[in-house]
Amino acid sequence: MLKHFFSTLLGLLVGMMCVPAIAVISQKIWPPPAGITSASDKDALRAAVASMPTGALITVAGSWLVGAFVGGLLASKLSGSPVPAYVVGGFVALAAISSLLTIPYPVWFWPVALVLVPLASYAAAWIAARGRPARHDAATSPN
């Protein structure tokens, strides 16, 4: 039980660290426009997002996918169960939705947060399970 808890916690930490790390790299490639002083200024945010290059927008959405995948893979590998990967993916999806409610991103960001982020955590759990030996239940074993 503690193994699952700490695996999930570490996966969350690593997954959530991926998002701002990728954002920093993205901002080196595509610097944000000058003049944004507060996240509460919706008009300035809307104008900034509208002026962002497509590559920068894809990088933002991709950071959510990478966070869900990397954090989920780590959590699932450490715990030996797929459940921690799903929890990590759920938290990354919630963080992405929170960002979508705060920052006026394009409409296509919603399917990324609602569909692709959970799929990334599912893929992480699936890949982690491929490296584990199959479990044999003594009750169903023919021996």
Side-chain angles (χ1 to χ4, degrees):
M1 181 71 171
L2 280 177
K3 179 177 164 182
H4 293 298
F5 174 76
F6 286 114
S7 298
T8 304
L9 198 60
L10 186 59
L12 277 169
L13 179 66
V14 169
M16 292 298 201
M17 286 174 55
C18 286
V19 176
I22 293 170
V24 166
I25 294 167
S26 174
Q27 288 178 1
K28 297 289 183 197
I29 299 168
W30 298 285
I36 299 178
T37 56
S38 171
S40 63
D41 185 357
K42 292 285 188 187
D43 292 331
L45 279 174
R46 189 171 286 108
V49 170
S51 70
M52 287 175 72
T54 304
L57 292 169
I58 290 171
T59 305
V60 171
S63 71
W64 300 340
L65 300 175
V66 169
F69 181 81
V70 171
L73 184 65
L74 178 66
S76 189
K77 279 282 194 189
L78 290 175
S79 71
S81 167
V83 174
Y86 305 147
V87 172
V88 170
F91 273 97
V92 173
L94 287 174
I97 291 167
S98 172
S99 180
L100 286 168
L101 293 172
T102 306
I103 300 169
Y105 286 113
V107 170
W108 61 267
F109 267 61
W110 282 96
V112 171
L114 296 173
V115 177
L116 296 182
V117 169
L119 281 177
S121 66
Y122 178 80
W126 182 77
I127 289 171
R130 293 188 70 206
R132 290 192 289 268
R135 290 177 41 183
H136 295 288
D137 189 7
T140 60
S141 179
N143 294 335

